[in-house]
Amino acid sequence: VTAPCSHWAGVRLAHCAQLRGDCGADCAKFQKSELEYKFNKKALERPYTSKHSWGKTYGEHKRHLEFSHDQYRELKKYAEEVGIFFTASGMDEMAVEFLHELDVPFFKVGSGDTNNFPYLEKTAKKGRPMVISSGMQSMNTMHQVYQIVKPINPNFCFLQCTSAYPLQPEDVNLRVISAYQSAFPDIPIGYSGHETGIAISVAAVALGAKVVERHVTLDKTWKGSDHQASLEPKELAELVKAIRTVEKAMGSPIKQLLPCEMACNEKLGKSVVAKVTIPEGTVLTLDMLTVKVGEPKGFAPETIFDLVGQKAKTTIEEDETITEQAVKKVKC
């Protein structure tokens, strides 16, 4: 789970507590930038007149929102107290250095740095697990990312992601999860969602996503472009509950009669039944047989063709279940 830009550190602390205690999430992920390393001077000096702006320039806006190193240390300490993992997307190489010093359990690579190959190499060499989003990238680029990271640090995963806020269903492309699973079978594949609601994220888990990242806010009406694409705590709790249910429901790939099905099978499972009276010694033909719910149980319906050519050991009355004691195989 990642939290969008909020108004003050106290809100972020509340995020950590709610994410774990009320919602059941495993990790609170933030975003850390060292602004002069992420943006050049002209980008920071660019006028920013959006309704979401916290300053006259983009640099003023970002400086207003960016937490200090001490605030990140406070957040990490509090996350440990409430029992949730804590990390952040390192939005530039210097931010990665700070997060490495902070001893986060894994690095998140935001989509904007996925094709930043020098950044990827340096981050991979830190030796921590990596979660790499793939918004704005092509399959060819993701193959390049794999080839760069894998020899350095094999402990990483890819997230299917579309970088739009909020994301429309027709742009989600969940089938990319399956394409990644085929292309990169030796790494986990996950999903980073910016859509509204929880249905699409649940579907991603059903497709095999092993990691799910969603933005979280305490109030979608707050100022900031990410809030509308975020989940409020109640929605996050619903998502986590739904994901846990789907994880259980994925079950086994082996198809067989399960113990929980026995009662239904006993009550409604069908058997082969005599369609007509079959005298003792008669060789069975298909037109003598039918399938019904029978008492007692007899031959299962899928064996009906195997019964053809067998001989009745006793007279079998019309509508009577055909049991193993009633027939014998005819030797060829």
Side-chain angles (χ1 to χ4, degrees), residues 272-273 275 278 284-290 304 307-308 322:
V272 179
V273 170
K275 194 173 185 179
I278 304 172
L284 303 182
T285 59
L286 190 60
D287 59 1
M288 298 175 184
L289 309 174
T290 190
I304 191 168
L307 287 170
V308 173
I322 298 178

Side-chain angles (χ1 to χ4, degrees), residues 2 17 25 31 52 127 134 150 180 197 206 238-240 256 262 306:
T2 182
Q31 294 184 356
H52 302 301
S134 61
K150 182 70 174 181
Y180 282 166
E238 292 173 356
L239 174 60
V240 172
Q256 59 186 335
M262 293 303 296
D306 298 328

Side-chain angles (χ1 to χ4, degrees), residues 273-279 314-322:
V273 170
K275 194 173 185 179
V276 296
T277 298
I278 304 172
T314 61
T315 297
I316 306 169
E317 300 295 334
E318 180 183 347
D319 207 43
E320 187 177 333
T321 302
I322 298 178

Side-chain angles (χ1 to χ4, degrees), residues 22-75:
D22 299 337
C23 303
D26 297 307
C27 181
K29 185 195 75 69
F30 295 78
Q31 294 184 356
K32 184 71 186 89
S33 299
E34 303 294 344
L35 298 180
E36 283 69 27
Y37 291 89
K38 180 179 179 181
F39 301 97
N40 71 6
K41 290 182 179 179
K42 286 189 177 180
L44 291 172
E45 292 169 357
R46 184 180 69 220
Y48 193 51
T49 57
S50 165
K51 65 180 181 179
H52 302 301
S53 174
W54 290 94
K56 293 180 181 179
T57 66
Y58 198 64
E60 289 179 3
H61 166 76
K62 295 299 288 185
R63 289 186 187 97
H64 175 85
L65 294 169
E66 191 66 41
F67 288 157
S68 68
H69 288 192
D70 284 344
Q71 286 173 315
Y72 265 85
R73 293 186 184 99
E74 181 186 1
L75 286 166

Side-chain angles (χ1 to χ4, degrees), residues 76-239:
K76 182 173 185 289
K77 180 180 177 183
Y78 186 71
E80 290 170 352
E81 290 174 3
V82 299
I84 191 169
F85 289 113
F86 174 89
T87 191
S89 298
M91 308 301 280
D92 54 80
E93 291 180 13
M94 291 306 295
V96 171
E97 292 294 335
F98 168 67
L99 294 171
H100 186 56
E101 173 197 322
L102 199 62
D103 197 25
V104 295
F106 66 90
F107 291 128
K108 169 68 196 300
V109 178
S111 295
D113 280 304
T114 297
N115 59 350
N116 183 350
F117 294 159
Y119 166 101
L120 284 179
E121 283 188 345
K122 290 179 181 179
T123 303
K125 286 177 181 177
K126 298 295 184 185
R128 298 183 188 273
M130 297 169 66
V131 176
I132 304 173
S133 277
S134 61
M136 303 179 286
Q137 310 304 328
S138 67
M139 180 61 88
N140 180 62
T141 297
M142 297 312 295
H143 276 285
Q144 290 178 273
V145 170
Y146 177 91
Q147 291 163 4
I148 289 169
V149 175
K150 182 70 174 181
I152 304 171
N153 182 355
N155 195 3
F156 68 101
C157 72
F158 287 163
L159 306 185
Q160 161 56 0
C161 175
T162 303
S163 298
Y165 307 81
L167 175 60
Q168 299 304 308
E170 58 268 24
D171 293 322
V172 173
N173 293 329
L174 286 179
R175 286 193 175 94
V176 174
I177 293 173
S178 301
Y180 282 166
Q181 289 167 337
S182 297
F184 313 109
D186 56 340
I187 64 171
I189 303 300
Y191 174 68
S192 177
H194 304 133
E195 74 278 3
T196 57
I198 70 171
I200 290 171
S201 295
V202 174
V205 175
L207 284 172
K210 303 302 183 186
V211 177
V212 174
E213 177 188 37
R214 289 297 303 269
H215 287 234
V216 174
T217 181
L218 298 182
D219 189 336
K220 292 182 185 180
T221 66
W222 276 347
K223 182 177 177 178
S225 57
D226 281 8
H227 291 290
Q228 285 186 322
S230 301
L231 300 176
E232 292 182 354
K234 182 179 178 181
E235 292 176 295
L236 178 62
E238 292 173 356
L239 174 60

